[in-house]
């Protein structure tokens, strides 16, 4: 099959979160299984762009409303990611340093989608499936089906994967002229709640919809930022497929970011050496359990509850734990987390920013990973943590529910709690600290147990191929 993935992120080209990891891995595994997988994404100004060689694949032009723009599609020369990688350059619009967060994101991603479809109409053949990821590519299923200019592609199946339904790409009807000529009778297929809603439109128009875990698919029917009725109505075409993790990037035995490698057999010593590096660098106490949080400091991740949870845990455990935070996001939360540092010297530290290398060291050196997420469609952090023998301490939701079994259950290896509150988090930290101090044998068994879990992409890749197989 020939599959073309359309996405705003793809690791290592550009990544803001788990979407990048998934789109950097799934096509590689599809290619390894004998299929032709391609990725097309915007050409941002990233290191990857300047460090690799490119050829021009296509030059074209299109309109975004009244604005006429030209675009270029370039292709990475050596296929070094294990699949064909294409970048769309739209001068002044996409060539920025960050992936998201600009006032004109609507224009940027709408123009990107138009350029992608325009380019595909010039191919000599048609792909077997166009696989779109998240709302930045959510107008494609509609445009392919109903825009007159793209009629040639109208019968190409589209699959839409929801990595996060909190963000939907809403745009007012005053921007409807951005979408190239279409029959206005079809406006209901673009709309939700009186605005153009690219995520809802994709759910209505894609041939199949997937979510990145089974529990998240269920949750969307009662908690999806306003789209609950839509998910109930469209449930027949929705499937949950749990993400995998990329073993080439995430393996403590060979991880290129680590100085001290380890396997299941050497997990205790291996983790201790990595913990030592973290404790030296961040002035933490090697003898106390180390809890880490890695992620976007936003409401979805319940990052706003962390400051209270940390204060409460430090109090109830008499400063008997270390906490290290890596992340960036809402300024208020960044500030609150930073200003805690002087209160707990030797026990607490924070790194505000994005740092891939540090994240690997933290998965390797931490004893526990905190994930109190209010919403977690899949969550990759807990799977990376498990692969590195770090006990996940997670809220009982979405993909966290599907991947972590509480240590109180039969053969469980993690800690689960129900509410994103300081009380529940602090109680879970106390459970974890007790395990660390009183039952080293059980802790080591848990580490080895979770390192054996197979969360590889092979299984998920087969499930995606089954979904494609059901199209037509
Ligand atoms: P989401 O995509 O919702 O942010 P995921 O758990 O799916 O959550 O994936 C997050 C990914 O981003 C992981 O690879 C995680 O290690 C990485 N990550 C998040 N924040 C940072 C950060 N500040 N520095 C380095 N890596 C980060
Ligand atoms: C999203 C979700 C996260 C998921 C990731 C990859 O960003 O928030 O839970 O793991 O996409 O699918």
């Amino acid at each position: 099959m020939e599959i073309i993935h359309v996405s705003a992120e793809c690791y290592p080209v550009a990544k803001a979160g788990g979407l990048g990891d998934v789109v950097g891995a799934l096509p590689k595994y599809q290619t390894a299984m004998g299929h032709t997988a391609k990725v097309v994404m915007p050409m941002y100004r990233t290191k990857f762009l300047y460090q690799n060689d490119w050829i021009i694949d296509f030059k074209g032009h299109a309109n975004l409303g009244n604005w006429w723009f030209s675009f270029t599609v370039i292709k990475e020369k050596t296929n070094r990611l294990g699949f064909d990688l294409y970048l769309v350059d739209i001068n002044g619009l996409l060539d920025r340093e960050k992936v998201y967060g600009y006032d004109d994101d609507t224009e940027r991603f709408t123009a990107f989608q138009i350029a992608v479809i325009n380019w595909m109409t010039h191919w000599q053949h048609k792909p077997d499936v166009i696989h779109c990821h998240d709302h930045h590519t959510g107008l494609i299923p509609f445009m392919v089906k109903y825009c007159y200019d793209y009629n040639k592609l109208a019968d190409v199946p589209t699959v839409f994967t929801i990595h996060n339904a909190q963000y939907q790409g809403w745009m007012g009807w005053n921007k409807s002229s951005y979408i190239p000529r279409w029959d206005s009778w079809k406006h209901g297929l673009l709309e939700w709640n009186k605005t153009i809603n690219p995520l809802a439109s994709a759910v209505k128009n894609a041939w199949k919809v997937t979510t990145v875990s089974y529990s998240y698919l269920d949750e969307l029917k009662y908690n999806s930022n306003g789209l609950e009725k839509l998910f109930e109505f469209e449930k027949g075409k929705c499937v949950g497929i749990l993400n995998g993790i990329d073993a080439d990037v995430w393996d403590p035995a060979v991880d290129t970011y680590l100085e001290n490698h380890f396997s299941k057999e050497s997990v205790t010593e291996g983790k201790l050496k990595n913990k030592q590096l973290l404790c030296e660098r961040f002035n933490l106490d090697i003898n106390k359990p180390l809890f880490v949080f890695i992620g976007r400091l936003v409401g979805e991740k319940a990052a706003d509850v962390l400051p209270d949870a940390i204060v409460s845990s430090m109090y109830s455990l008499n400063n008997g734990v270390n906490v290290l935070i890596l992340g960036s996001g809402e300024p208020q939360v960044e500030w609150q987390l930073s200003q805690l540092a002087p209160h707990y010297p030797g026990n607490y530290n924070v790194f505000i920013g994005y740092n891939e290398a540090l994240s690997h060291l933290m998965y390797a050196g931490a004893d526990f990973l905190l994930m109190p997420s209010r919403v977690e469609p899949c969550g990759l952090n807990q799977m990376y943590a498990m692969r590195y023998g770090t006990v996940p301490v997670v809220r009982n939701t979405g993909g966290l529910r599907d991947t972590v079994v509480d240590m109180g259950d039969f053969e469980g290896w993690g800690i689960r709690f129900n509410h994103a509150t300081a009380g529940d988090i602090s109680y879970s930290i106390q459970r974890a600290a007790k395990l660390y101090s009183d039952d080293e044998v059980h802790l080591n068994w848990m580490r080895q147990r979770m390192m054996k879990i197979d969360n590889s992409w092979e299984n998920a890749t087969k499930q995606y191929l089954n979904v494609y197989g059901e199209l037509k």
Side-chain angles (χ1 to χ4, degrees):
M1 293 188 98
E2 182 178 356
I3 308 130
I4 176 132
H5 292 272
V6 193
S7 170
E9 298 178 36
C10 172
Y11 179 82
V13 191
K15 161 176 164 182
L19 169 64
D21 287 348
V22 171
V23 179
L26 174 61
K28 190 165 71 179
Y29 287 83
Q30 290 176 330
T31 307
M33 286 190 189
H35 301 275
T36 304
K38 303 179 169 183
V39 170
V40 57
M41 65 183 294
M43 192 198 90
Y44 311 109
R45 276 182 202 282
T46 63
K47 255 202 225 150
F48 190 92
L49 173 68
Y50 300 113
Q51 290 171 348
N52 290 279
D53 293 326
W54 305 87
I55 46 171
I56 292 182
D57 187 82
F58 182 74
K59 271 176 175 291
H61 49 81
N63 269 74
L64 182 74
N66 293 330
W67 181 59
W68 183 93
F69 65 94
S70 55
F71 65 91
T72 307
V73 182
I74 58 175
K75 179 171 187 268
E76 193 272 317
K77 258 187 180 168
T78 61
N79 210 324
R80 59 169 281 210
L81 299 185
F83 50 82
D84 294 338
L85 170 71
Y86 298 88
L87 307 185
V88 177
D89 179 24
I90 306 178
N91 224 292
L93 209 59
L94 297 179
D95 54 343
R96 313 240 179 112
E97 266 158 35
K98 284 189 302 173
V99 177
Y100 319 109
Y102 299 98
D103 288 345
D104 58 352
D105 278 355
T106 299
E107 285 71 21
R108 297 172 70 225
F109 290 107
T110 311
F112 164 65
Q113 295 175 79
I114 291 171
V116 169
I117 311 181
N118 195 304
W119 166 57
M120 280 197 283
T121 56
H122 288 86
W123 292 12
Q124 300 302 321
H125 67 289
K126 295 179 193 173
D128 292 299
V129 51
I130 304 175
H131 191 151
C132 303
H133 298 265
D134 270 356
H135 77 81
H136 318 95
T137 62
L139 294 172
I140 288 181
F142 175 88
M143 293 201 285
V144 163
K145 264 189 183 162
Y146 300 117
C147 289
Y148 301 129
D149 299 351
Y150 309 137
N151 202 257
K152 190 182 155 192
L153 298 172
D155 61 347
V156 178
T158 50
V159 170
F160 183 68
T161 294
I162 300 174
H163 298 262
N164 195 332
Q166 293 301 108
Y167 307 98
Q168 301 171 2
W170 310 268
M171 57 201 257
W173 274 107
N174 57 336
K175 298 195 173 174
S176 63
S177 67
Y178 288 175
I179 301 165
R181 295 183 307 125
W182 50 282
D183 176 356
S184 59
W185 280 100
K186 302 279 188 318
H187 75 276
L189 294 172
L190 283 169
E191 185 178 78
W192 191 259
N193 220 357
K194 301 196 173 68
T195 56
I196 299 179
N197 184 320
L199 188 102
S201 171
V203 173
K204 293 180 188 185
N205 293 292
W207 295 32
K208 282 270 181 189
V209 173
T210 71
T211 61
V212 288
S213 69
Y214 330 108
S215 289
Y216 187 55
L217 177 56
D218 276 348
E219 286 171 14
L220 287 173
K221 285 176 228 146
Y222 54 89
N223 179 17
S224 51
N225 210 359
L227 301 184
E228 295 75 12
K229 287 206 177 91
L230 177 66
F231 284 108
E232 181 56 41
F233 186 74
E234 296 284 8
K235 62 185 174 203
K237 65 159 138 161
C238 299
V239 187
I241 301 179
L242 195 66
N243 287 331
I245 60 175
D246 188 346
D248 297 340
V249 184
W250 298 97
D251 178 354
V254 292
D255 188 326
T256 50
Y257 286 110
L258 297 184
E259 283 171 39
N260 302 293
H261 294 121
F262 59 92
S263 61
K264 222 169 46 270
E265 290 67 35
S266 57
V267 54
T268 314
E269 312 83 76
K271 285 188 75 65
L272 194 62
K273 286 187 193 150
N274 287 294
K275 181 173 176 181
Q276 196 157 5
L277 291 181
L278 282 172
C279 289
E280 281 162 13
R281 183 162 161 198
F282 291 99
N283 181 31
L284 301 169
D285 183 344
I286 184 87
N287 297 312
K288 294 175 182 168
L290 173 57
F291 291 80
V292 298
F293 173 94
I294 301 168
R296 296 180 288 120
L297 300 176
V298 296
E300 258 173 82
K301 303 286 178 191
D304 50 304
V305 190
L306 286 173
D308 276 356
I310 292 165
V311 171
S312 152
S313 308
M314 291 292 184
Y315 177 76
S316 50
L317 290 163
N318 200 13
N319 292 1
V321 292
N322 298 300
V323 179
L324 178 60
I325 311 271
L326 164 62
S328 59
E330 286 162 14
Q332 168 75 3
V333 179
E334 289 185 357
W335 178 82
Q336 281 181 319
L337 288 168
S338 302
Q339 64 86 40
L340 276 185
H343 295 277
Y344 303 106
N347 281 125
Y348 170 81
N349 220 326
V350 57
F351 183 106
I352 299 293
Y354 190 92
N355 189 322
E356 193 75 32
L358 176 57
S359 75
H360 283 245
L361 181 60
M362 287 169 72
Y363 289 118
D367 298 301
F368 300 95
L369 175 92
L370 291 174
M371 272 184 100
S373 312
R374 292 194 175 91
V375 181
E376 198 58 82
C378 176
L380 297 172
N381 296 21
Q382 82 281 10
M383 291 202 260
Y384 298 148
M386 279 147 55
R387 189 71 194 83
Y388 286 64
T390 300
V391 178
V393 180
V394 305
R395 191 170 96 78
N396 205 357
T397 187
L400 300 174
R401 183 203 298 264
D402 293 350
T403 53
V404 177
V405 176
D406 189 88
M407 64 180 184
D409 293 340
F410 181 64
E411 294 212 338
W413 60 85
I415 294 182
R416 290 199 342 194
F417 54 93
N418 286 329
H419 306 288
T421 56
D424 265 25
I425 300 171
S426 156
Y427 177 68
S428 302
I429 291 181
Q430 291 171 47
R431 277 183 80 197
K434 190 161 172 9
L435 171 76
Y436 183 90
S437 60
D438 296 0
D439 205 346
E440 205 183 332
V441 176
H442 189 193
L443 175 60
N444 281 329
W445 175 87
M446 280 165 59
R447 287 175 170 159
Q448 298 195 347
R449 166 74 184 84
M450 64 185 135
M451 286 180 79
K452 274 196 267 183
I453 296 169
D454 180 9
N455 277 321
S456 64
W457 265 109
E458 274 85 6
N459 194 12
T461 306
K462 284 186 199 140
Q463 295 180 56
Y464 277 109
L465 292 169
N466 287 343
V467 168
Y468 304 153
E470 286 166 15
L471 301 165
K472 295 212 182 224

